[in-house]
Each structure stands twice: as structure tokens, then as C-alpha cells.
Amino acid sequence: MEWRDQGAVLSMRLHGETSAIIEVFTAEHGRHAGVVRGGASRRMAATLQPGSQVEVTWHARLDEQIGSYRVEPLQSRAGVLSDRLALAGLNATCAMLLVALPDREPHPQLYRASMALLDALQASADWPLTYLRWEMQLLEELGFALDLTRCAVTGSREDLAFVSPKTGRAVSRGAAGDWAARLLPLPPMLLGQGPATPVELAQGFALTAHFLNRGLEPLLNGKPLPEARARLIGMLPKI
């Protein structure tokens, strides 16, 4: 069994004295692990850093085995190392993909969005909004897409201000009434209305966290979302 693909390294852990096991989010084979012979060496350290773009050749005698990787570097994202916030964004992205994606299941649209997000960490100052929209797409890939197009009660597209924590559908301000306190705020920037203020980003991350916790509950097994995500949100400006 052998295939070649491209992707981003999500994690690396030592395996024995000289090897490493890496997980890579690949374009055509999804999240896939493999052993890298000599992966513990200093020469391979930069190539196997989380976020690095690589070309991998996977080989195993049987498909169900973990197999081994030959790895060639394509793009380093070491530029984020000098930016604490961008590094936190990279770590959060990798951690969320590790916990959310089924093993060896392709997600081509999410793959393209994830690579664009990793590139944006070094190129765009407003990448936190890109990351938030990426979490929205992650929910969609997992089968928990939010419907923010019209009010679940009236069908109106106007003055959408809340999201139902049960259905993930938008609710207008007028239709919410006395139930508003039980609903989740819908920040206007998720509807393309205005810039992403710190308050609205916090509301957006609270919104995605609610549905990520619910959707990933069988995988989290009572644990919170990855600490790397909480660390990122804790570093974002509050005002």
C-alpha cells in the first residue's frame, strides 16, 4: 500500500530513540498518521513542526497499519514563531483538527479553508475573524451547520440578533421576546455587517464553542475543547 499527498503537519511525538510519529491533515486522505524514520533528528525538527506544509509518501504492508512516511518540506510557517498571537492561532487550528476530524476521512473543502487560514496567520491582521469563520465551516463539515440566513420563527431576514442554542437557527430581535435571555447573541459581523469588534469576536467564539462542545461530545468524553483554543481566545483583545 502506497500513496503520495500534500498536507500540513498537525502533531509530532517521538517514537523510540530515533523516529517520530506525525499526524498530517492531507488533501486527499484526511487526517492520517505515520512513522517517520529519523524524525527525532535535529535535521528533521523544522520540517515536522506543526503547521509545516509537506509532501508525504505513505507506505505500509496492509492498509490498516500505521505505516511509515517519507517527508519532503514544501512550506515553512516558522514566521508565526515571532508572533505570540499568530502562534496561538496555529496551535489552536492544529488542535481542533486533531480532536474533530475522523481518522483517514477526506475533507477537501475544509482542507482548502485550513491551509488558507494557516497562510493568513502570517499575512493578514484580521485573521481572528478568518479563524472564527473557519470554526463555522468546521461545524458544517461535522454535520452541525448553523443556519443564520433567516429567522426560525418568522422567516424574516431582517434584524437577526440571536441563535437558538438547541437548533442553531437564527432568531430575530422581535421574535425573541421574553426568550432573548435564553438565546445566544448573534454578532452582526457574522452576517457581514460591519467590522469584527473584540466584543463581537467574543460572542462569535462563545457561539461556536457551544455547538462544538455539543457536536464533539462523544469524542471529548466530558473533557473541554482543546486548551490551545482557550489559550488563543484568552489572548485576544477584550475591548
Side-chain angles (χ1 to χ4, degrees):
M1 305 295 299
E2 184 171 302
W3 49 258
R4 178 177 293 183
D5 205 346
Q6 294 186 10
V9 178
L10 299 181
S11 71
M12 187 276 282
R13 65 182 187 273
L14 297 179
H15 179 66
E17 295 184 1
T18 61
S19 299
I21 294 177
I22 62 171
E23 294 215 42
V24 184
F25 184 22
T26 64
E28 298 180 5
H29 298 84
R31 178 175 66 85
H32 204 294
V35 177
V36 180
R37 309 297 179 190
S41 68
R42 291 184 178 181
R43 182 181 64 85
M44 293 294 294
T47 300
L48 302 185
Q49 284 295 310
S52 296
Q53 197 79 8
V54 294
E55 182 174 85
V56 292
T57 303
W58 181 82
H59 175 82
R61 190 169 58 86
L62 300 174
D63 185 62
E64 60 269 21
Q65 293 177 326
I66 187 171
S68 61
Y69 273 139
R70 294 195 305 273
V71 182
E72 295 294 335
L74 293 177
Q75 177 185 349
S76 170
R77 294 191 171 95
V80 303
L81 296 177
S82 60
D83 184 332
R84 291 179 63 248
L85 185 59
L87 179 59
L90 184 149
N91 289 334
T93 303
C94 292
M96 289 301 299
L97 289 170
L98 281 169
V99 74
L101 292 186
D103 190 35
R104 303 187 179 192
E105 183 177 292
H107 289 271
Q109 291 184 339
L110 182 64
Y111 173 82
R112 289 190 290 271
S114 300
M115 300 309 108
L117 171 59
L118 291 175
D119 289 339
L121 295 174
Q122 301 179 87
S124 173
D126 62 353
W127 66 259
L129 177 56
T130 303
Y131 177 91
L132 177 59
R133 293 190 181 281
W134 174 82
E135 285 198 343
M136 298 278 288
Q137 186 168 348
L138 180 60
L139 281 168
E140 184 174 351
E141 290 281 333
L142 297 174
F144 302 103
L146 306 185
D147 183 359
L148 308 181
T149 58
R150 63 182 69 234
C151 176
V153 180
T154 66
S156 171
R157 297 179 182 271
E158 302 299 323
D159 201 23
L160 302 178
F162 303 99
V163 177
S164 166
K166 293 185 178 181
T167 66
R169 299 182 65 189
V171 180
S172 68
R173 197 179 310 277
D178 295 339
W179 290 88
R182 303 186 184 185
L183 303 175
L184 299 168
L186 172 57
M189 51 87 180
L190 281 182
L191 302 174
Q193 301 171 5
T197 67
V199 171
E200 290 188 8
L201 278 175
Q203 291 174 337
F205 281 119
L207 180 66
T208 54
H210 173 81
F211 292 100
L212 285 168
N213 272 303
R214 193 172 75 176
L216 295 174
E217 184 178 4
L219 300 175
L220 294 172
N221 197 24
K223 298 178 181 178
L225 292 172
E227 181 182 350
R229 182 186 186 275
R231 189 179 305 115
L232 166 63
I233 295 171
M235 294 173 64
L236 291 172
K238 300 298 187 295
I239 57 175

